[in-house]
Amino acid sequence: MRTLPLHPGRPALLVVAHGSRDPRHAATVAALCERLRERRPDLRVEVGHLDFNAPSVPQALTRLHAEGVRRVVALPLLLTRAFHAKADIPAVLRETVARLPRLSVHQAAVLGPDRLLTAALERRLYEAGLRPGDERSTGVVLASAGSSDPEAIAVIADVAREWRRTAGWCAVRPAFASASLPRTADAVRQLRAEGVRRVAVAPYVIAPGFLPDRIAAGAREAGADLLAPVLGDAPELARLMARRYDEALAEWSRWPAAGRVPVSA
């Protein structure tokens, strides 16, 4: 475990994870962050959780501050810009920074949408047994956790349309494990009813947990031909996290007056 930043002038990176009672979630986040450290040994990478797991975001920031870190980029480990990115994370960052007067924190953009994410989805589908050349006869259910935020739902629909166009799937349909419809099983059945020969389910989630398990149950219930693993520690995600850090740093340097106030991406 690193206890001091490798470069005093370079902000640390705090990965802000949702957290889960499921131990697989924290283990997956830890593996992804380790992959990022391997990719970017120049960065100090730490994790803070919004709920359930330790350290919490305030605990992680307090520890960094106590060790002499004065600038932190907070990266939401989220695929869409929904309530957590718009409200929860900015609130906890502001509350914590108010108690740590020498600490400045800048919130980076969420991970999605990005072509690297669909590349990671494709990686997982091929790991599950899809073969090159199967795309034209395969319909994909892009199964996300779901959200009550219309902007997040619209983004998932856009990702599905763009992924079909660029990858050549015969169809890509969004589905949701909560809050929105259709559910995974219904999307699989719809593709079957339309005559799609092979149906694959691609979970658009980072780590295992209750909602990813619901996605998997829906895929099995409806008889999907393939079920990909969650994105997990796919190298594409680590590459994207490094990019979001660099983008946030460039943005921060353009607006130094933002100072200690976290910027909501």
Side-chain angles (χ1 to χ4, degrees):
M1 178 68 69
R2 295 170 183 153
T3 58
L4 291 173
L6 296 178
H7 298 284
R10 183 183 293 276
L13 173 58
L14 179 68
V15 177
V16 181
H18 184 278
S20 172
R21 292 186 178 90
D22 189 321
R24 296 174 297 168
H25 179 94
T28 300
V29 172
L32 178 57
C33 289
E34 188 55 38
R35 188 179 286 277
L36 177 58
R37 292 183 188 103
E38 292 169 358
R39 180 177 185 85
R40 289 290 298 270
D42 58 314
L43 296 183
R44 177 169 183 179
V45 180
E46 299 293 344
V47 180
H49 301 271
L50 290 176
D51 208 350
F52 302 116
N53 303 111
S56 66
V57 172
Q59 288 170 339
L61 287 174
T62 300
R63 185 179 68 200
L64 287 168
H65 181 265
E67 294 175 3
V69 175
R70 294 295 175 258
R71 296 201 299 160
V72 176
V73 171
L75 172 62
L77 197 61
L78 301 170
L79 301 179
T80 59
R81 188 174 173 268
F83 183 79
H84 290 307
K86 295 177 182 178
D88 285 349
I89 293 175
V92 73
L93 293 178
R94 289 182 188 276
E95 290 167 6
T96 305
V97 168
R99 296 187 289 99
L100 303 170
R102 290 178 293 172
L103 185 68
S104 296
V105 181
H106 184 87
Q107 182 177 328
V110 298
L111 296 180
D114 196 278
R115 179 67 186 90
L116 283 170
L117 291 172
T118 49
L121 289 169
E122 290 163 14
R123 171 189 294 275
R124 295 309 191 211
L125 284 168
Y126 292 123
E127 289 173 354
L130 199 71
R131 296 170 299 178
D134 285 346
E135 294 83 3
R136 292 293 179 187
S137 59
T138 301
V140 178
V141 174
L142 180 68
S144 76
S147 173
S148 58
D149 188 315
E151 179 185 347
I153 297 304
V155 166
I156 298 299
D158 288 343
V159 170
R161 284 191 292 269
E162 181 66 10
W163 194 22
R164 179 185 182 183
R165 185 186 70 81
T166 57
W169 308 109
C170 72
V172 179
R173 299 292 163 78
F176 308 93
S178 68
S180 307
L181 296 174
R183 296 287 185 259
T184 302
D186 295 330
V188 171
R189 293 187 185 107
Q190 182 182 7
L191 288 172
R192 292 277 192 224
E194 294 172 4
V196 174
R197 197 174 98 192
R198 182 187 299 104
V199 178
V201 173
Y204 194 52
V205 291
I206 294 174
F210 175 73
L211 294 179
D213 284 350
R214 182 180 285 181
I215 290 170
R220 290 190 294 267
E221 173 194 333
D225 298 289
L226 287 171
L227 170 63
V230 298
L231 294 172
D233 65 341
E236 293 85 358
L237 263 68
R239 180 179 167 192
L240 182 55
M241 291 165 72
R243 181 195 293 172
R244 292 289 184 258
Y245 172 89
D246 291 337
E247 291 167 350
L249 207 56
E251 182 183 55
W252 201 353
S253 69
R254 290 196 296 271
W255 290 289
R260 293 173 45 249
V261 180
V263 178
S264 178

